[in-house]
Amino acid sequence: HTYIHTHSHTHTLSPTPLFQALFFFPLLIHGWPVDNFPRLSEEIVLHIFSFLSPEDWGRCAQVCHHWHRVACDPFLWRKIYVVEHTMAAALFLHILSRNPRVLQALGCIVNMTGQADEDSATTSLQHHPIAWPSCNYSQLHTLDLSSSVFSEDFFCRLMQHVPNLRNIDLSSCSVGDAGLRALATTHPKLKQLGLRMNEHVTDEGLCFVLAQCRQLVLANFAWLSLGKKALRALAEFCPDLELLDVSGSRDSLDDDGVQRICANCRKIKVLDVR
């Protein structure tokens, strides 16, 4: 048995409860706090860190060498979720340098001036050189840029550095036909494409994508007001489609168009034509 002295009492503990007490609770021994965090295995620390945000990981990485190693572990950076954040382009590329498999940047502003000021971000998105890495972000397979703002030149260049991209959502964002051409040229094996309510996309740009990316399984083109040319391209070039959303295209989508899509896209399971 072991005797533990506190300020007012003496407690007797058997060896097993003593070990549990020291391991799980920061007891005060002679007035000094016990730091039990180093006793935890790295797997447990990783699990604890997984509940934190990327900003928290950055702060934790500055505590000590041990926390820095844990905070930079690829396990934590497999999926990164950033919402309504104004950031410099260099920071966006730094996030990608962590080699995430999934990156969701929703409602973000990527500022090409290198500053993080929200007012300057919306007015200085064009023609500012940034340092692109010599290597690619080969782990990234899913990218969600819904409602985000960035220059189209930046997006076109980014597409050259994500060779294994398979799923992308550009709903309500600043990408137009030029960005779609860059996407289709570099990623013909694209599986999922979201363009919901993207007012910068035209039928011409969409037809180019559909002609190049013939392995699409999911396409969300809701409220794009697709023309008949784009609808014909859907039926002609996308035989593997399983889910298609063309809501808001009632003016150009008639019964013949629906029958054409169903006849050529034999694998389709969900077709939304509201």
Side-chain angles (χ1 to χ4, degrees):
H1 290 74
T2 303
Y3 298 92
I4 297 182
H5 300 276
T6 62
H7 293 291
S8 57
H9 301 284
T10 300
H11 304 280
T12 303
L13 296 176
S14 62
T16 300
L18 172 64
F19 173 79
Q20 294 174 347
L22 290 177
F23 193 84
F24 292 107
F25 303 101
L27 296 179
L28 294 177
I29 300 180
H30 300 297
W32 293 95
V34 176
D35 181 11
N36 293 306
F37 203 85
R39 299 172 180 265
L40 300 175
S41 68
E42 196 150 304
E43 290 77 11
I44 294 177
V45 177
L46 270 175
H47 182 67
I48 295 173
F49 275 35
S50 68
F51 294 96
L52 305 179
S53 66
E55 291 84 358
D56 293 330
W57 297 334
R59 297 186 185 99
C60 290
Q62 302 176 53
V63 172
C64 62
H65 290 293
H66 178 212
W67 281 32
H68 183 275
R69 184 176 67 254
V70 175
C72 294
D73 193 287
F75 172 83
L76 295 176
W77 297 91
R78 292 178 305 170
K79 183 176 181 178
I80 303 177
Y81 185 71
V82 185
V83 181
E84 297 180 352
H85 189 76
T86 299
M87 69 184 82
L91 177 57
F92 187 90
L93 297 181
H94 181 69
I95 292 174
L96 284 175
S97 70
R98 294 296 182 184
N99 283 320
R101 299 179 183 180
V102 178
L103 173 58
Q104 292 180 288
L106 311 180
C108 294
I109 298 176
V110 180
N111 187 354
M112 303 305 294
T113 64
Q115 303 172 357
D117 179 74
E118 189 169 355
D119 294 333
S120 64
T122 57
T123 58
S124 305
L125 291 174
Q126 299 289 341
H127 310 304
H128 189 89
I130 60 175
W132 287 91
S134 58
C135 59
N136 291 328
Y137 310 112
S138 56
Q139 296 295 322
L140 189 70
H141 64 71
T142 298
L143 179 62
D144 190 345
L145 297 174
S146 299
S147 303
S148 292
V149 179
F150 41 84
S151 76
E152 200 148 30
D153 290 341
F154 175 79
F155 179 80
C156 293
R157 187 69 183 273
L158 177 63
M159 290 300 98
Q160 301 174 16
H161 289 270
V162 286
N164 296 318
L165 189 67
R166 292 295 178 267
N167 314 307
I168 189 167
D169 196 336
L170 302 172
S171 299
S172 303
C173 77
S174 57
V175 171
D177 287 353
L180 287 185
R181 288 180 176 272
L183 170 66
T185 302
T186 53
H187 300 91
K189 296 182 179 180
L190 200 67
K191 295 293 185 181
Q192 299 184 13
L193 175 60
L195 294 171
R196 181 183 180 89
M197 298 181 69
N198 189 323
E199 59 184 17
H200 304 286
V201 173
T202 67
D203 272 16
E204 182 180 355
L206 188 56
C207 287
F208 183 86
V209 171
L210 296 175
Q212 297 293 320
C213 304
R214 303 194 178 196
Q215 299 181 23
L216 281 176
V217 175
L218 182 151
N220 187 346
F221 301 150
W223 306 105
L224 291 185
S225 299
L226 301 178
K228 290 186 177 296
K229 183 179 179 181
L231 292 170
R232 285 195 298 269
L234 267 173
E236 180 180 355
F237 298 128
C238 302
D240 295 331
L241 273 177
E242 296 182 6
L243 189 152
L244 174 61
D245 191 343
V246 289
S247 304
S249 299
R250 292 181 179 179
D251 293 339
S252 53
L253 183 62
D254 52 20
D255 291 346
D256 291 338
V258 173
Q259 291 176 3
R260 188 182 302 111
I261 291 174
C262 293
N264 294 337
C265 305
R266 298 296 183 88
K267 298 180 181 180
I268 200 158
K269 299 176 181 177
V270 178
L271 176 59
D272 194 337
V273 295
R274 288 176 291 178

